[in-house]
Amino acid sequence: MLSQEQIDEIIDKTDIVELVSQFVSLEKAGKGYKGLCPFHNDSSPSFMIEPTKKIAKCMSCGEGGNPINFLKKIKNIPFEEAAYELASKAGVKVNISFKKNAGPDYSKYYQITDISQKFYSRNLLSTKSGQVAIDYLHKRGINDETIKMFGIGLSSANSDVLYNVLKESKILELDMIDLGLVKAKENSYYDMFTRRIIFPIYDEFSHVLGFSGRLYLENEDKNQPKYVNSPETVIFKKGLVLFNLNNAINDIRRTKRVILYEGFMDVIASFRSGLKESVCSMGTALTINQANLIRKYAKEVIICYDGDNAGVNASVKAIKILKQANLDVKMVMLPNDIDPDEYVSKYGEEAYKNYFEENIIDPTEYLYLNAIRNKDLTKFSDIEVAKKMVFDAIGENNSQTLIENYLNRFSNEAKVSYSSLIIDYDNYSNKHHISKNVENDFELQINNNFLKEGLNYLTKYSVAELRLFVYAMQNKEKANYIDSNIDLSTFEEMHSTLWMQLIDNYYSIFDEFDEKKFIAILNSKNENYLNCYKNDKHTIAKMVKIKYCNEDLEECIKIFNEYTKKKKINDINDKFRDKNYDEQIRLLEEKIKVMKEINKNQLQKKRK
């Protein structure tokens, strides 16, 4: 049993910033540090570290605490085990025993893959065939330091050399087969990899999980695949691993970003160019598990896939997965359909690094540039293809300003009228985007005219906001009633302006709504107001038709006000971190008050 004195000593001698930074990407915040909470799906830095108080705690979900509690939570281990681990590192003598969590012990497998990696490395560095492979790597720009850093090796030309090495180390054939290192044939065994340059695949803790072998000899059978990977095994799951993450972690924490490539050689070329925060997936499409693995160490990801069509298609899929993991996504588009490794070979390492840093763009810009890339915009057929690609690129955005910006750009570059482009975009959206959203996301309960309870909360809010605007356009009395029962500041800026134009300008002159008069007012103020109104009108028209009634109006107000309260809590959380103690207390009191209102409303809803 640990005494309180021992617990205090462990906590006192543990550098909590160093401890937390092993699991969370941190940035300075006043006298402390902050980062994304590792205990919940955090979209903005809520995890606060106070070095002097030895506290690491999430201001949103409340998880964390002192160093022992943090390690206990993050590793899901008993308190005594966490205390023992920290005591050992801090040099604190404790006399405790604990039972470790029951779970698979992969140590024997790691030992086998480690022996294999060392063999491949020796075979590269100390044989004649190894010198041929080294010459090939040098021609590719991979120097001895890089070879050592990535643990690159070479499989033998003979078919059973690794098998015999493992046999001499008392490794069972069954274990060799289970790890995909050898295969069985009748009464003999042969190596999985022969005459290939070998890239070991490490996990984030530098355990060797498997290998990838690449052809390098010019006289090899061209029908063979360029790369052969270890099969999936008990320790190697392609969808859970990122190549080079073990080497990149420190640079990821320093730069607060991850650069995501398609292949090993691209990662190595990037590393040589000084962009060492580089990783890639294992020859397959990016998975949500890999995205979540990235999120443990950074919030920003820069995708730099090949510039060909396959690379662009893979980029589109990766963008969606990374955003699903709440990561900030940026892109780099390479010129002339070449990949990063080819760029470095052609122009040099420094040129690549400069190009990369100067050409980081957001995903919408990437998709837009790809849409008009290699298109002859003087030809009608190319304009039509590019136009649909532009519509797809901007179709997922909620920002009307952004949509108008890209449609204006395409109008200028393709020399087509903006008004015709707006009509085409509206028709295309109706067929490909909005109608699908109506079916899947904006489904309403026709029977009781209420918004369906199972909908995503933000979707409910968006629908409620649009429907409230419809009610406000019916007459002045309803508009004033809505205005007195909602918080206008919750609206998006452009929608908020529309409301003010309707309430303060239009209804100060007229009692009944006349669209032509309202449009005239909007047009006299700002063209953007009119465009916003038109697009809102189009969206409203495409929603499922239900009867507008007083019950539905009250439901829309209730949903809007619920969102307003939740937004207030998020705003309080954002303000909390940078305030002094007294101000934090005031904000906490305000937060508790809002939460009580939410709980009260939820209780009333249950009673009904």
Side-chain angles (χ1 to χ4, degrees):
M1 186 71 178
L2 283 168
S3 67
Q4 188 59 49
E5 289 77 10
Q6 288 175 317
I7 292 173
D8 291 342
E9 186 179 3
I10 294 169
I11 292 171
D12 184 60
K13 291 188 176 180
T14 298
D15 184 336
I16 195 163
V17 176
E18 181 183 348
L19 172 65
V20 175
S21 65
Q22 296 175 42
F23 306 93
V24 180
S25 178
L26 299 178
E27 59 185 67
K28 201 80 172 67
K31 295 181 180 179
Y33 294 83
K34 65 180 180 180
L36 292 173
C37 178
F39 301 112
H40 81 284
N41 203 13
D42 198 7
S43 58
S44 61
S46 302
F47 203 68
M48 313 303 294
I49 294 86
E50 297 186 36
T52 56
K53 295 181 180 179
K54 303 287 183 178
I55 293 292
K57 195 173 183 68
C58 179
M59 301 308 297
S60 181
C61 73
E63 287 286 9
N66 64 44
I68 302 175
N69 283 329
F70 171 80
L71 191 63
K72 170 180 177 291
K73 290 281 187 181
I74 199 78
K75 285 193 170 184
N76 193 26
I77 57 178
F79 182 88
E80 291 80 6
E81 185 177 346
Y84 181 82
E85 183 176 329
L86 293 177
S88 300
K89 292 180 180 178
V92 179
K93 292 183 179 180
V94 292
N95 184 22
I96 56 174
S97 61
F98 55 87
K99 185 178 181 180
K100 287 194 173 184
N101 284 346
D105 181 5
Y106 296 140
S107 57
K108 87 169 177 179
Y109 297 122
Y110 295 146
Q111 180 187 10
I112 297 169
T113 54
D114 186 59
I115 293 171
S116 303
Q117 190 276 324
K118 286 182 169 61
F119 161 72
Y120 290 137
S121 181
R122 285 195 304 272
N123 196 49
L124 175 69
L125 299 175
S126 58
T127 63
K128 283 187 177 181
S129 57
Q131 188 56 54
V132 175
I134 288 173
D135 290 343
Y136 167 84
L137 291 169
H138 285 173
K139 287 179 182 177
R140 295 292 303 267
I142 302 174
N143 58 26
D144 293 340
E145 180 187 356
T146 306
I147 291 172
K148 182 179 178 182
M149 172 64 69
F150 285 87
I152 299 172
L154 179 70
S155 58
S156 174
N158 297 321
S159 63
D160 61 354
V161 179
L162 177 61
Y163 165 73
N164 288 320
V165 168
L166 294 175
K167 191 68 177 170
E168 288 175 8
S169 299
K170 312 298 183 187
I171 305 301
L172 299 175
E173 282 87 351
L174 187 60
D175 288 336
M176 300 180 204
I177 294 171
D178 284 346
L179 291 175
L181 297 169
V182 303
K183 292 185 175 182
K185 185 179 182 180
E186 296 178 354
N187 295 322
S188 63
Y189 298 91
Y190 63 98
D191 296 349
M192 172 75 176
F193 301 102
T194 55
R195 295 189 302 275
R196 288 177 180 269
I197 290 174
I198 300 295
F199 298 90
I201 312 302
Y202 298 90
D203 66 12
E204 58 192 304
F205 308 109
S206 293
H207 298 125
V208 181
L209 304 179
F211 301 91
S212 183
R214 189 190 195 283
L215 293 176
Y216 70 100
L217 295 171
E218 292 183 2
N219 58 355
E220 285 288 358
D221 180 3
K222 301 303 180 185
N223 292 321
Q224 292 187 70
K226 183 187 292 186
Y227 282 96
V228 172
N229 295 328
S230 293
E232 296 222 339
T233 68
V234 66
I235 60 172
F236 180 45
K237 310 291 183 188
K238 293 179 184 178
L240 302 178
V241 183
L242 290 166
F243 176 74
N244 195 48
L245 180 60
N246 62 311
N247 289 329
I249 285 174
N250 287 336
D251 290 285
I252 290 170
R253 287 177 176 144
R254 177 179 57 80
T255 60
K256 299 180 177 61
R257 70 183 188 184
V258 169
I259 303 173
L260 183 63
Y261 291 103
E262 282 191 280
F264 303 147
M265 300 303 286
D266 295 333
V267 170
I268 293 171
S270 183
F271 177 89
R272 287 160 40 209
S273 302
L275 300 169
K276 299 183 179 182
E277 60 274 28
S278 305
V279 302
C280 72
S281 53
M282 296 301 305
T284 57
L286 187 76
T287 68
I288 188 62
N289 289 318
Q290 289 168 325
N292 287 330
L293 181 58
I294 289 172
R295 195 175 175 278
K296 283 178 62 177
Y297 298 101
K299 187 182 177 184
E300 181 179 271
V301 182
I302 304 174
I303 301 174
C304 187
Y305 284 0
D306 296 355
D308 57 14
N309 288 334
V312 172
N313 292 334
S315 295
V316 172
K317 293 176 182 177
I319 290 167
K320 293 179 180 178
I321 290 170
L322 293 167
K323 287 187 174 181
Q324 186 181 340
N326 280 327
L327 286 159
D328 293 334
V329 183
K330 298 286 191 298
M331 315 292 295
V332 168
M333 176 181 281
L334 294 176
N336 305 320
D337 294 347
I338 65 175
D339 61 39
D341 182 41
E342 291 169 337
Y343 192 103
V344 172
S345 298
K346 188 172 183 178
Y347 301 108
E349 295 164 5
E350 186 176 353
Y352 175 73
K353 184 177 182 180
N354 291 336
Y355 179 89
F356 184 95
E357 297 290 9
E358 293 168 6
N359 288 275
I360 298 173
I361 56 179
D362 64 68
T364 305
E365 179 72 6
Y366 170 86
L367 295 172
Y368 177 84
L369 292 176
N370 179 66
I372 62 173
R373 192 179 189 182
N374 300 326
K375 305 288 193 310
D376 184 351
L377 296 182
T378 63
K379 295 181 179 178
F380 177 77
S381 58
D382 278 15
I383 290 174
E384 285 299 299
V385 172
K387 181 175 69 175
K388 290 175 183 177
M389 292 176 70
V390 170
F391 291 168
D392 281 333
I394 63 178
E396 299 298 325
N397 289 280
N398 295 321
S399 169
Q400 189 60 37
T401 305
L402 181 144
I403 291 171
E404 289 178 7
N405 174 270
Y406 280 104
L407 291 179
N408 262 314
R409 281 176 62 179
F410 188 73
S411 170
N412 292 330
E413 293 185 52
K415 294 182 172 54
V416 296
S417 74
Y418 179 76
S419 58
S420 66
L421 206 55
I422 282 284
I423 295 170
D424 286 350
Y425 175 68
D426 180 61
N427 291 333
Y428 188 81
S429 298
N430 186 29
K431 291 177 182 177
H432 294 81
H433 298 295
I434 296 177
S435 61
K436 185 178 178 182
N437 285 339
V438 167
E439 180 183 349
N440 295 332
D441 295 333
F442 291 100
E443 182 184 353
L444 303 179
Q445 289 183 345
I446 306 298
N447 292 337
N448 61 7
N449 298 325
F450 288 171
L451 298 175
K452 188 175 179 182
E453 287 294 325
L455 288 175
N456 173 280
Y457 199 90
L458 184 58
T459 301
K460 286 167 59 177
Y461 154 71
S462 301
V463 174
E465 179 181 317
L466 287 168
R467 291 181 64 74
L468 285 173
F469 194 69
V470 174
Y471 283 112
M473 288 189 294
Q474 290 179 358
N475 57 60
K476 183 176 181 178
E477 184 181 356
K478 278 188 179 174
N480 288 333
Y481 175 76
I482 295 169
D483 189 50
S484 63
N485 282 279
I486 63 171
D487 184 350
L488 193 62
S489 65
T490 307
F491 280 111
E492 294 178 8
E493 184 178 351
M494 188 59 69
H495 288 137
S496 177
T497 303
L498 271 184
W499 268 90
M500 287 189 287
Q501 293 300 325
L502 181 64
I503 303 293
D504 297 338
N505 288 337
Y506 181 86
Y507 280 133
S508 66
I509 305 171
F510 307 102
D511 291 332
E512 297 298 326
F513 184 79
D514 183 312
E515 185 177 48
K516 290 182 180 179
K517 294 176 182 177
F518 184 56
I519 287 175
I521 289 177
L522 294 179
N523 213 18
S524 67
K525 298 291 183 182
N526 190 313
E527 185 183 357
N528 289 332
Y529 300 165
L530 180 58
N531 289 331
C532 181
Y533 169 70
K534 286 181 178 179
N535 279 280
D536 282 353
K537 185 181 175 185
H538 288 314
T539 305
I540 291 164
K542 295 176 182 78
M543 289 195 294
V544 174
K545 301 292 185 183
I546 73 168
K547 181 182 176 183
Y548 285 91
C549 59
N550 290 334
E551 290 85 355
D552 180 66
L553 170 60
E554 295 300 330
E555 185 72 7
C556 289
I557 290 174
K558 183 173 73 173
I559 288 170
F560 187 88
N561 288 335
E562 284 175 359
Y563 176 79
T564 300
K565 289 167 188 172
K566 288 182 178 290
K567 186 174 183 297
K568 282 181 180 178
I569 289 178
N570 290 335
D571 291 343
I572 291 170
N573 288 338
D574 290 339
K575 293 175 184 175
F576 188 87
R577 303 178 188 97
D578 301 321
K579 301 297 183 181
N580 60 36
Y581 179 79
D582 291 338
E583 188 64 17
Q584 286 180 339
I585 293 296
R586 188 193 67 76
L587 287 171
L588 280 174
E589 290 173 347
E590 185 179 339
K591 180 176 178 179
I592 291 169
K593 182 180 177 182
V594 176
M595 290 179 71
K596 282 182 178 178
E597 290 178 12
I598 292 174
N599 292 335
K600 181 180 177 182
N601 291 339
Q602 289 175 343
L603 182 61
Q604 290 174 345
K605 185 184 294 184
K606 286 181 181 178
R607 286 173 177 168
K608 290 180 181 179

